[in-house]
Amino acid sequence: MCFILNGLQSQGFKRNTKVLENRDTLVKLGLLITKDLVNVNLSKAFDFMRKCYFNDIAVQEACSLNSLLMELAKKVQRARYEEFIIRLAEAYEGFVFYLPAFMDFRGRIYRSGILHFHERDLARSFILFSPNNQYECSKDHGKDFACAAAFKYKKFQTLDEAFSWYKEKKSVMYASADSLMSFSLNASDPFQFISKVLCHERFDLYNGIPMNQDASASAYQIMSSFLLNEDLARKTKIIPHPDGQIEDFDVSLLNEFQNFLFSEIYDSDKMKIIESKLDRKLVKTLFMPMIYGKSLISMADNIKEQYGKLLSSKDNYNLAKLCNEFMKEKYPDVVNLMKLIKLIAWVCAAKDLS
């Protein structure tokens, strides 16, 4: 394990200098917040906003004071975060930097610091692999770069589909100086999308590969390996799809969970409410951490955050219970293995075994 960690830490990275070539345009499009908000004194700004709100009847009728204050606080916080990340990235310019690695309690490897590839979209877009003798990169990898860029815009079923989409949209992205940034507004990860497109189109200038790393339902991948569960292995991409399609485990869970709810909830009106906000993001929030022991109360809180006043506290808790029931019915081997691991941990703790 030390050998693996040392190997990961020996990989150098460098700063991507091209993403913010047109920062003013990114601010104008709303992808970045203006840095004028960085030095705003929130206490004074709140006082000023309260006075303005009190003296403007039209604004009072349109929205609440609390929503305005919250929105301002979010904008200022986001501006400060973005400026911090940008200034940190600028400090790395011209240097090869290395990211210390460590393992968490689950055995997953993370990197220390703030500017790394476990961070948000903006931070990730600033990182490039620094060339070394371990790999050779050339224009022959152009299709790989194009596909990587396409997947940062939206999901595709196959690599060929992603590449075809990229070729089709290429003329739109480069119709004008600002068209790439405008086009990226609808991307799932706009800054990483911009980074990858620029790398693909300006390979000679970049001489590096944009950094992108994320887990793919890794806990369920491990479970499928332990249990030799072929169905789960296919859904988590351990076993390739025979047609070359790229499976999305979260979407698969969403569809299966929806079908389960239809069989368990007989109140059609309530089911319509649940279905209206039941999306991939919520399913991922609910089911991914279950492997690590996510509690019913925690799941109920996530559901409350998603549905707000549409569901009562009792409904939130009952829906969380249905999540557990779904897992027991659909993936009983996973649930049983989780229980076994917990029992082993209790015995080891009681016997003071390491």
Side-chain angles (χ1 to χ4, degrees):
M1 184 55 68
C2 290
F3 176 79
I4 293 172
L5 290 175
N6 287 336
L8 291 172
Q9 292 177 131
S10 67
Q11 170 62 56
F13 301 94
K14 64 179 184 177
R15 186 213 162 188
N16 185 341
T17 60
K18 306 298 180 183
V19 175
L20 295 184
E21 284 182 325
N22 297 300
R23 182 173 179 176
D24 291 340
T25 303
L26 292 171
V27 172
K28 183 179 178 180
L29 292 171
L31 289 171
L32 286 176
I33 298 292
T34 175
K35 60 182 178 181
D36 295 336
L37 289 178
V38 171
N39 298 316
V40 167
N41 185 315
L42 274 178
S43 179
K44 292 181 179 179
F46 283 171
D47 288 340
F48 180 74
M49 185 171 284
R50 291 186 184 100
K51 294 175 184 177
C52 293
Y53 184 84
F54 180 77
N55 293 320
D56 196 321
I57 302 299
V59 174
Q60 293 178 29
E61 294 175 349
C63 59
S64 67
L65 175 61
N66 187 57
S67 64
L68 289 175
L69 297 177
M70 288 289 291
E71 184 64 21
L72 176 60
K74 289 179 181 178
K75 295 288 187 183
V76 171
Q77 183 182 28
R78 179 182 162 189
R80 290 173 178 172
Y81 166 78
E82 290 175 352
E83 185 64 17
F84 176 71
I85 290 295
I86 291 170
R87 293 179 66 180
L88 182 60
E90 289 173 346
Y92 283 142
E93 187 168 349
F95 295 96
V96 174
F97 59 94
Y98 299 85
L99 299 172
F102 67 94
M103 294 179 63
D104 68 359
F105 71 97
R106 300 168 295 183
R108 292 179 63 174
I109 297 173
Y110 288 90
R111 300 304 181 101
S112 300
I114 298 173
L115 188 66
H116 55 70
F117 37 81
H118 298 293
E119 255 292 343
R120 284 173 258 181
D121 180 39
L122 178 62
R124 292 185 183 191
S125 70
F126 285 132
I127 304 174
L128 295 174
F129 276 114
S130 178
N132 58 33
N133 296 327
Q134 296 179 5
Y135 69 85
E136 293 183 2
C137 184
S138 68
K139 290 184 178 180
D140 295 336
H141 295 89
K143 181 177 179 180
D144 298 331
F145 291 158
C147 290
F151 273 98
K152 284 302 169 184
Y153 193 89
K154 65 176 185 177
K155 293 184 178 296
F156 297 91
Q157 288 294 315
T158 64
L159 293 176
D160 289 338
E161 182 185 344
F163 187 54
S164 297
W165 177 89
Y166 184 89
K167 290 191 295 183
E168 178 186 340
K169 300 297 182 181
K170 184 176 177 179
S171 59
V172 179
M173 290 187 280
Y174 282 91
S176 66
D178 299 334
S179 57
L180 173 59
M181 288 171 283
S182 299
F183 187 79
S184 68
L185 281 172
N186 295 320
S188 56
D189 296 301
F191 290 105
Q192 291 180 80
F193 174 72
I194 293 172
S195 172
K196 286 174 169 53
V197 171
L198 291 176
C199 180
H200 178 258
E201 301 301 328
R202 305 181 189 178
F203 178 82
D204 294 334
L205 295 175
Y206 265 62
N207 191 27
I209 301 175
M211 185 66 243
N212 173 51
Q213 180 169 324
D214 200 1
S216 177
S218 58
Y220 286 90
Q221 287 180 334
I222 294 171
M223 285 292 181
S224 67
S225 300
F226 278 150
L227 299 166
L228 300 180
N229 187 324
E230 291 188 15
D231 180 57
L232 187 57
R234 288 191 182 91
K235 291 176 180 176
T236 55
K237 297 188 280 290
I238 289 182
I239 298 177
H241 194 282
D243 297 330
Q245 294 185 6
I246 299 172
E247 295 281 356
D248 188 325
F249 182 57
D250 298 318
V251 172
S252 177
L253 268 182
L254 171 61
N255 295 332
E256 291 172 349
F257 187 50
Q258 279 181 325
N259 293 333
F260 175 79
L261 291 178
F262 275 114
S263 66
E264 295 292 325
I265 299 176
Y266 302 105
D267 187 334
S268 59
D269 292 332
K270 185 164 292 184
M271 187 60 214
K272 287 180 181 178
I273 294 173
I274 293 173
E275 194 177 12
S276 67
K277 289 185 174 291
L278 185 63
D279 55 19
R280 179 184 182 275
K281 183 177 180 181
L282 177 60
V283 166
K284 184 174 183 178
T285 302
L286 294 173
F287 288 101
M288 287 301 111
M290 285 182 71
I291 296 293
Y292 312 120
K294 188 178 182 74
S295 67
L296 281 174
I297 294 176
S298 178
M299 286 192 286
D301 288 340
N302 295 141
I303 294 168
K304 179 182 178 181
E305 185 178 346
Q306 178 82 345
Y307 288 92
K309 299 295 184 181
L310 290 174
L311 295 177
S312 66
S313 297
K314 183 179 179 180
D315 290 332
N316 295 332
Y317 189 77
N318 286 337
L319 186 54
K321 288 173 64 177
L322 286 174
C323 292
N324 274 347
E325 293 300 319
F326 165 76
M327 285 297 295
K328 292 176 183 177
E329 179 177 311
K330 186 65 180 179
Y331 301 101
D333 49 351
V334 173
V335 174
N336 291 333
L337 181 57
M338 289 163 56
K339 289 180 179 179
L340 178 61
I341 293 173
K342 185 183 293 186
L343 290 172
I344 293 173
W346 283 347
V347 171
C348 291
K351 296 293 185 179
D352 196 22
L353 301 174
S354 58

